[in-house]
Every structure is written in C-alpha cells, then in structure tokens.
Amino acid sequence: MSKKETKYIFVVGGVMSSVGKGIAASSIGKILQSRGYRIANLKADMYVNIDAGTIRPAEHGEVFVGEDGIEADQDLGNYERFTNQVSTRENYITTGQVYAEVIRRERNLEYGGEDVEVYPDIPKEIIRRIKACQEKNKSEIVVIEYGGTVGEYQLLPFLEAARMMKSKNPNDVFIVLISYLPTPVLLGEQKSKPTQHAITDLHSVGLNPDFVICRSDLPATSDIKQTISNVCSLPIERIISAPDVYSIYDVPVNFEKENFGTTLLKTLSLPPRSKDLADWTALASKIKKIKKEVRIGIVGKYFNFKSCKDTYISVIESVNHAAWAMNLKPKIIWLDSEKYEKNPKLLSELDKLDGIIVPGGFGKRGTEGIILATDYARRKKIPYLGLCFGMQLLTIAYARHVLGFRDANSTEMDPHTKYPVIATMADQVDKIKNKNYGASMRLGAYDCVLTKDTVAFGAYKASKISERHRHRYEVNIKYIAELEKAGLVFSGRSPNGVLMEIAELPKKKHPFYLGTQFHPEFKSRPLKPHPLFSAFIKACERKK
Ligand code: GLN
C-alpha cells in the first residue's frame, strides 16, 4: 500500500473525560491489527509539558516508559498491552513538544522571514508529527487519540490538524467520537443530549464524526442510536454501543459484537481481511469465570481520593496477567505506607496477604513506612516484589536490619546518611545540582545479565534480558561485598557488572524476596505475562 493511501483515525472525546477513550483507541488498534493491518497508536496530550515525566502520578496517572526512554501518558501502556507493539517517542505528542519545535525552527531562521502563526504553523507541526509516527511504524492505519474533550480551548489546534488533513484527503481521514450517555438515577432513562452537544462542538470546527462510540452503563438503546445517527447524518451501524464491561479486555470483543471492525474497514474503503481475535476472546471470557482469589497488597505512597488504578496501572495489569494465567483472580489491597510510620503495629495486617508489591516512587515521604513493610515481609516470609524504588528500599531494609547499618538510606531521602547504600548515579549529580529534571533520568531499555541458579534466572530462563528503566539512584558499589556477605544476592547486573539490576534472597531463605532496579511491569502482556510477575504470583499461590 503506498503511503498516500494511509488511513488516519482520530479518536476524540465528547461530554466528559475518563470514559475510556484510551481503551477505545487501543481496541480500535487491536481489531484492525487482528484483521491483518499494520497499525500505529498515537497519543496527543494537550498539556504544555514536553512529556509526562514531571507530572504527579497520583493525579494524572502512571508515567509509562517506552523502549527508547520516552516518559509518556499511561495510554501508551494500554496501546502496548492491547497491540503488543512497542511505543517510542513518535507515538506521543504534547502541545509543549509542538511549540518547542516550532520555536526552535523559528530561531534557526527556518521560516524564511515569515511570521510564525498559531494557525497554520502549529497544526502543520502536529500533522508532521502524526506522519512521522506513520513512517516510523510503517503503518497502514494510524489511530490518533486526542486527550481532553471537544469544546476545550487547547484542543483547537489539534482538531484543526485533523480538519486540514481531512480536507486534503477526505477518503483517508476519519473521526471517531467517544461520547457518554448518562442515565440520571431519577429518570432511569438514557440521555443523548450531551452527546448531541458534543457533535455540535465538532461541527463548529468543521468536523463531523464518522463513528460515535457511546459509553454508558448499559447498552445504547436503538432509539438513542437513531437520534445520534440523525444528528450527524450517519448510518445507524456507525453508532457503536460500548456499555460497561467486566474487564477492559472485553472492549475489542464487544466492538466486534457490534460489527465495528467490518463497518470500520468498509468506511475506510479497505478490503476485509481474515480476523483473528480468538485467543483474546478466550482470555476475556476466561477471566470472568475465575473464582479463586490471590490477595496482593500494594504498599505505596501515591494514593488519593480517586482510585489508585491509574497511578499503578501497569503494575495492576501485570498482576492480572500473571494471575489469570494461573487461574487466579487478583484482589488488590491498597496500603498507604504512612500509616505504618504512625503505628507499626498495623504491619500485622500484611500477614493476611498472599504477597506484597512495592512499586516505583520518589522522595522521602512515606518511605520509612515502606522500609518497615519491606523488612516485615522478609522476616515473616511474605512473598515480596520490589519495583525500582521497591528494590532500593529492600536493599536499605537489608542493610539496616541484617547488616546493622542503623541509619542506612538512599541519598535521595537522606543526603547525609552514614551508610548511603543507595546513592546518586554519577551522571545524575550535576543534573540534580542544576535542576535539570526533564527526561534526565536513566531511561528506557538496557540489558541486564543474570546469574545462573538464582530466582531471577529461574523465572526468565535466560542469561541476558532487556528491561525498561527510570531512576536516578542505584545500589552503591561500595556496599555490595558487605551486602552479599550478609546473604543478599545481586542476581542481575548491567553487562559491565557495575550496576545492580536485581536483588534477591535465595529460595532456601525466603519463598520470594526480589527487587528489580528496572520496571518489568511495562512489558507484561495479557497473553504473555511477565516472567517475574508469574514467579511472584506462583510464590503467592504457594503461600495460600
Ligand atoms: N526514586 C528512585 C530513583 O530515582 C526510584 C525511581 C522509581 O521508582 N522509578 O532512583
């Protein structure tokens, strides 16, 4: 297929946010991919931040790290989990990136003496980036998800980019509106008016949806579908019902039940190809039947009024994938570490769990509580998996309670500790001093070499692996001999041997006590659980 015929599907939200636009965009990618098309999923966020790396996860969700080290919106994680395609910086656009590039070019006299305008230069740069994503992925179809909802001021240049592309190639550019149908309790009836307004908002910027996906608690009624199809002059089969589902993995299956894949290809004027969603459909239906629970505590520090689901989404999904493969249903218990600082007696609640995970984190607040929980898990032989920060705190807990280094710490929490068992990486010292915080950590995929006859090696069954990273601190090489003598095993190291990637206790000492400097959670897939999560869940099941 020549590049000219590439299809672009813009996924935009209406009515309100948080109705599952990311899952819908991932599912569109998934069903097209399952029909044999080469696709790319791209996320465009409206904020001025260059990337998601400096944004607080408790409010805005997890920072997802790509192979190339891009720190992106959590939706890139959904794309990877649904389509099993690796994301890089080409899959992620922000307003900040767009302006930074336009301004850079202006300073380089690349606009040949012209004045540079928000219109058309900003949408043009957005289009250039969308096309760069297509080229990088050699995709036949690009699914572009816009953050925010129509009617928002900051979305305008992005909608304009879609309009400019559509006016040039009307047969190659499509708009999917993800809307919401509320059912007010007192009325007990589904309402389409907010969706009608969202469609009007799209009309006001020169766009009509080609599909409307109706999120709601129950399926969209045929009356509602008819009303919406009238408002945007679409055949009724292009109004897709998307009711709440048991798990996010049901969404592509549900889309296919609505015949979305076939109608979509027909609308895109693409020939039907065979469909293969069998494994996925089997998984989505299997997980509904699983009864036996495995209770996993997540001891963390980023909890807020919403839920923790967005903050730790890749960790939760990794637990799901591994547990489902073993016919277990995960029950996740959120444990705010600060309560253990106030009352260490509460640690006994960990006894009731089958295992605990300490996910990534930054800064001092709450860490003493995590260290207490980490040490408790070691003493009580509760399966423990530490992810990045979790591995560093495991090392600190071990130094304090086994080696007797009373105030051992990380220089991140206590720059003057007598025992800096976790220390600032050499290349980070100046960056921190100069407040150079953006995209400056050790980021993305690095190789790691595993030691034979260890828990890690047993899980991966390989001696060389590659995992994604996001950290500024590392195990201090000065203390390695002492830690090892005291029984801690560094079973994974950087190929040059100087950076500790995995710390663990041998099987004969603990059923599962392991921490990774990297983030395995970014590479788990629903049909291919991550080996470390599988090994951890297996240990949890055994504890049961
Ligand atoms: N704060 C720690 C570091 O920067 C751990 C980071 C993380 O958990 N991602 O090294």
Side-chain angles (χ1 to χ4, degrees), residues 99 122 146 153 169 180 320 341 371 432 483 520 526:
Y99 272 83
I122 296 300
Y146 280 172
Y153 171 76
N169 297 97
Y180 181 69
N320 284 340
E341 294 172 5
I371 293 170
I432 296 173
L483 286 161

Side-chain angles (χ1 to χ4, degrees), residues 359-363 387-390 392 412 441 470-474 517 519:
F362 295 83
L387 309 169
C388 199
F389 207 35
Q392 298 177 353
E412 179 177 8
M441 286 186 238
R470 183 171 186 250
H471 63 114
R472 288 188 205 282
Y473 300 84
E474 63 177 332
Q517 184 56 81
H519 290 272

Side-chain angles (χ1 to χ4, degrees), residues 65 302 358-363 387-392 410 412-413 422-425 428 432 441-442 469-474 516-519 521-522:
V65 182
Y302 301 120
V358 172
F362 295 83
L387 309 169
C388 199
F389 207 35
M391 180 259 205
Q392 298 177 353
S410 162
E412 179 177 8
M413 277 80 80
I422 305 294
T424 320
M425 298 181 72
Q428 292 290 330
I432 296 173
M441 286 186 238
R442 179 169 179 256
H469 298 72
R470 183 171 186 250
H471 63 114
R472 288 188 205 282
Y473 300 84
E474 63 177 332
T516 59
Q517 184 56 81
F518 50 80
H519 290 272
E521 69 269 26
F522 295 138

Side-chain angles (χ1 to χ4, degrees), residues 79-210:
Y79 304 159
E80 287 208 12
R81 284 185 284 274
F82 276 64
T83 67
N84 198 20
Q85 270 180 216
V86 164
S87 320
T88 54
R89 53 199 71 244
E90 284 79 9
N91 299 76
Y92 180 52
I93 306 180
T94 67
T95 294
Q97 291 171 21
V98 171
Y99 272 83
E101 174 59 18
V102 169
I103 292 166
R104 185 198 64 77
R105 255 188 261 142
E106 182 274 330
R107 295 286 81 183
N108 286 358
L109 287 182
E110 287 179 37
Y111 286 94
E114 294 293 328
D115 58 347
V116 184
E117 307 266 5
V118 172
Y119 175 84
D121 296 299
I122 296 300
K124 271 186 173 168
E125 172 59 15
I126 295 169
I127 295 170
R128 191 189 66 76
R129 283 171 181 258
I130 292 170
K131 299 214 162 148
C133 177
Q134 185 277 328
E135 257 164 51
K136 172 84 194 266
N137 291 281
K138 307 209 170 1
S139 36
E140 296 162 294
I141 308 168
V142 188
V143 182
I144 306 114
E145 178 195 348
Y146 280 172
T149 40
V150 285
E152 270 176 57
Y153 171 76
Q154 44 188 5
L155 193 55
L156 284 176
F158 289 85
L159 291 172
E160 178 57 20
R163 198 201 59 77
M164 283 162 75
M165 284 177 74
K166 191 163 175 104
S167 61
K168 214 164 163 195
N169 297 97
N171 300 324
D172 296 336
V173 178
F174 302 87
I175 310 291
V176 176
L177 176 69
I178 316 281
S179 197
Y180 181 69
L181 305 174
T183 306
V185 180
L186 287 178
L187 298 178
E189 186 194 337
Q190 234 168 33
K191 289 294 185 188
S192 71
K193 192 65 87 190
T195 298
Q196 296 185 43
H197 284 302
I199 294 167
T200 312
D201 276 335
L202 268 183
H203 288 167
S204 73
V205 293
L207 292 168
N208 190 43
D210 296 282

